[in-house]
Amino acid sequence: MKKILCPTDFSKTAAKALEYAVLIARQSGGHLTLLHVVHLPIVDTSETALVASELLGEQMRDAEERLVNLCREIEERHGANRSGEFTCDYILKEALLTDITEHLTKTVGYDLIVMGTTGGGNALEELLIGSNAEAVMEQVKCPVLSVPSTAAYPRIGKIVYASDYAADDIATLREVLNFASSFGASVDVVHVHKEGRSNGDRKSRFLQEMEQAFPGAPIHFEEVVSKHRTDGIKEYYDASGADMVAILRREKGFLRELFSQSLAEKMTYQAEVPLLVIKGKK
């Protein structure tokens, strides 16, 4: 993950995400781009159009000054553009965040998006409001790391990967291990099931495939019993001292869209841990 895009609205939450983005860029020797978007208000008369245009110009000037200062701070504190370890620049656009992130990942080749997220707070908000991070995850194909404002100071020593013994878990694990290798991090593969519902055959096949695919890799496997997958993953995360959760997000089919939320969505809304979401197939 050498090209990292970090959207910012200059908030506390965005600042926490930027700390993680800088850490990843430094460790990978990559390129970090800060992204800020502004929106032109909807107008219906020439008078309001003039006011809106002036407002937009003021917002753009203010945002550019902030972006320049952020880049200068990253240069001074972390050696970006100076030490040769990693580089940093910024993009300022009048656009929708989801549209511009999708465009940039397709045309410029950003292979990781790091952004802040805040949870909905209750079930109704989770279903009706969502979050910017969730909207971006839905739109782009590359991995997205969502970082809550309450996240600890960034370090990546252990990553928890949530597995359901799916066929594409092995391919996703390969991406997680490649990411972890930049930090010398280990990966705990965790499967959560309800009491009395453990699938021994699927587990045995999965473990065999994992051992064959990653001989000698720093991987540990654990099964956890819990009524809810999100609770089981979070409890294991807290108990193990992990730094990040990685999850495969599959594209939704029609029935899934209507009747359920994926684990990735639920954990994004809860916004309690840094969450690396890797996009899968249907």
Side-chain angles (χ1 to χ4, degrees):
M1 297 181 180
K2 294 286 190 178
K3 297 191 72 172
I4 301 149
L5 185 66
C6 184
T8 180
D9 58 3
F10 311 114
S11 65
K12 175 186 174 184
T13 300
K16 179 61 67 173
L18 181 56
E19 291 178 3
Y20 276 78
V22 168
L23 171 66
I24 295 167
R26 288 183 66 184
Q27 289 295 116
S28 64
H31 178 74
L32 170 62
T33 297
L34 309 182
L35 169 67
H36 181 76
V37 297
V38 295
H39 306 291
L40 180 66
I42 298 173
V43 296
D44 54 8
T45 69
S46 57
E47 242 180 70
T48 53
L50 179 60
V51 172
S53 178
E54 291 176 352
L55 177 62
L56 177 64
E58 184 178 329
Q59 288 178 335
M60 295 286 277
R61 287 189 294 274
D62 177 66
E64 183 154 28
E65 183 178 346
R66 288 175 174 232
L67 287 167
V68 168
N69 288 336
L70 272 178
C71 283
R72 185 177 296 125
E73 181 180 347
I74 294 170
E75 288 176 349
E76 292 173 353
R77 289 183 57 195
H78 304 286
N81 302 329
R82 296 178 180 179
S83 65
E85 290 182 0
F86 75 108
T87 52
C88 176
D89 65 5
Y90 68 85
I91 294 174
L92 174 61
K93 289 284 185 181
E94 179 199 341
L96 294 174
L97 178 61
T98 50
D99 291 345
I100 191 63
T101 51
E102 182 184 30
H103 173 74
L104 290 171
T105 52
K106 284 181 177 178
T107 60
V108 183
Y110 291 99
D111 45 26
L112 176 66
I113 296 173
V114 182
M115 62 186 300
T117 184
T118 54
N122 63 50
L124 182 61
E125 287 177 339
E126 287 177 5
L127 291 172
L128 299 182
I129 297 175
S131 69
N132 278 332
E134 164 62 18
V136 169
M137 288 175 195
E138 182 71 23
Q139 200 86 354
V140 303
K141 300 297 183 184
C142 74
V144 177
L145 175 60
S146 63
V147 180
S149 60
T150 54
Y153 185 80
R155 74 180 187 92
I156 304 174
K158 179 184 288 188
I159 300 172
V160 172
Y161 176 70
S163 167
D164 61 359
Y165 302 147
D168 41 6
D169 267 345
I170 298 299
T172 309
L173 255 177
R174 183 168 284 107
E175 290 191 54
V176 175
L177 282 166
N178 286 340
F179 177 81
S181 66
S182 294
F183 309 92
S186 61
V187 176
D188 285 6
V189 181
V190 178
H191 175 77
V192 180
H193 64 85
K194 294 182 180 179
E195 187 92 38
R197 292 194 181 182
S198 178
N199 191 322
D201 291 340
R202 288 180 67 195
K203 173 184 174 181
S204 296
R205 286 195 300 270
F206 175 77
L207 287 177
Q208 186 177 19
E209 290 177 10
M210 191 173 73
E211 289 168 2
Q212 290 174 350
F214 312 114
I219 298 180
H220 170 74
F221 174 82
E222 196 77 41
E223 271 194 332
V224 174
V225 176
S226 179
K227 290 183 179 179
H228 304 286
R229 291 180 71 199
T230 51
D231 293 342
I233 293 296
K234 182 62 169 57
E235 288 165 10
Y236 184 89
Y237 175 92
D238 290 339
S240 67
D243 306 300
M244 183 179 295
V245 173
I247 292 178
L248 168 65
R249 177 194 176 100
R250 294 178 183 84
E251 293 185 5
K252 300 174 184 176
F254 176 68
L255 292 177
R256 186 167 187 159
E257 177 75 42
L258 286 177
F259 298 117
S260 70
Q261 280 183 297
S262 71
L263 178 63
E265 287 174 281
K266 290 176 181 177
M267 293 198 73
T268 304
Y269 286 126
Q270 289 182 3
E272 295 177 349
V273 304
L275 185 68
L276 179 66
V277 177
I278 296 173
K279 198 74 169 278
K281 298 178 181 178
K282 284 186 179 180

